[in-house]
Amino acid sequence: MNLYQNKYRIPTARATWHDYSGGAYFITICTAGRMHYFGEIENGEMQLSAIGKIASDHFSNVSIHYPYAEIPLFVVMPNHIHAIVIIDGNDGNYRNAINRVSTATETTTVISRNPMIYKSLGTVIRGVKARISRMAHLNGIPFGWQARFYDHIIRNQDEMNRIATYIYHNVSQWDLDELNKAE
């Protein structure tokens, strides 16, 4: 293990040769303990729970919060989400950055157009996970995420097609899925 400021660090799971500020990615995000928070598969169809519906809505509308990101295909499974995420690192759009500036006596919220916001896959996934967690908390829904997420850089159209087919058929293949078990 590497030490950073005298603390152990877990090595990154990301490709060190890639900056994740543009490209197409296949991602998998699991729930904590692979609990079936998002719903259940019944008669070959995914029946979304309340938090499953919230997750589906957030993945459908990711471009509202991240105009440089697009999720053309995703599936919400009982304990994980698969998605294809496309990051356009060259779009030139700046999203509103919310900065909270604290002093000893008050906290001020400043909304600014900040061109330094790092447009990356990690930014999008962290933001979506945080929004879904916040909605679960606000609605009193028990919920938690696994700490990390899995990503695969999609390098060509053949990979894109293979991954899209996998996502599309994921619900019907649930009985064979390696994520169909608790940790």
Side-chain angles (χ1 to χ4, degrees):
M1 282 274 179
N2 297 330
L3 287 177
Y4 175 73
Q5 295 182 349
N6 291 326
K7 295 181 184 176
Y8 286 101
R9 283 188 75 176
I10 298 171
T12 182
R14 309 282 81 82
T16 56
W17 49 268
H18 187 74
D19 72 1
Y20 292 90
S21 64
Y25 308 92
F26 170 50
I27 61 115
T28 301
I29 311 171
C30 294
T31 60
R34 294 192 182 154
M35 297 292 295
H36 288 203
Y37 289 122
F38 295 132
E40 296 295 337
I41 295 177
E42 298 172 3
N43 300 320
E45 290 189 23
M46 181 63 191
Q47 303 298 317
L48 295 174
S49 65
I51 195 65
K53 290 175 185 174
I54 291 168
S56 180
D57 183 56
H58 278 76
F59 272 80
S60 294
N61 297 304
V62 75
S63 294
I64 292 170
H65 299 286
Y66 305 96
Y68 55 88
E70 178 186 355
I71 299 179
L73 182 63
F74 70 93
V75 64
V76 178
M77 298 295 287
N79 61 2
H80 66 281
I81 298 172
H82 289 304
I84 292 174
V85 181
I86 299 172
I87 305 294
D88 181 2
N90 300 316
D91 69 352
N93 289 332
Y94 303 123
R95 74 180 202 85
N96 288 335
I98 300 175
N99 302 305
R100 288 181 178 81
V101 180
S102 296
T103 65
T105 57
E106 64 182 75
T107 300
T108 305
T109 301
V110 179
I111 300 176
S112 63
R113 305 282 290 172
N114 186 346
M116 299 309 290
I117 295 297
Y118 187 58
K119 302 176 197 175
S120 73
L121 178 65
T123 300
V124 173
I125 300 304
R126 275 190 304 276
V128 171
K129 285 174 71 174
R131 282 183 172 80
I132 294 168
S133 295
R134 181 167 162 48
M135 291 301 296
H137 177 73
L138 289 174
N139 289 290
I141 302 169
F143 180 71
W145 290 109
Q146 180 175 297
R148 294 182 170 203
F149 66 93
Y150 167 83
D151 74 83
H152 170 79
I153 301 165
I154 301 173
R155 293 176 176 89
N156 58 47
Q157 191 62 48
D158 288 341
E159 274 190 355
M160 179 73 80
N161 293 341
R162 193 170 48 256
I163 291 165
T165 299
Y166 174 79
I167 290 172
Y168 183 78
H169 292 292
N170 205 227
V171 171
S172 64
Q173 299 293 317
W174 178 240
D175 290 336
L176 306 173
D177 196 316
E178 67 183 37
L179 296 175
N180 184 6
K181 55 186 171 274
E183 288 184 327

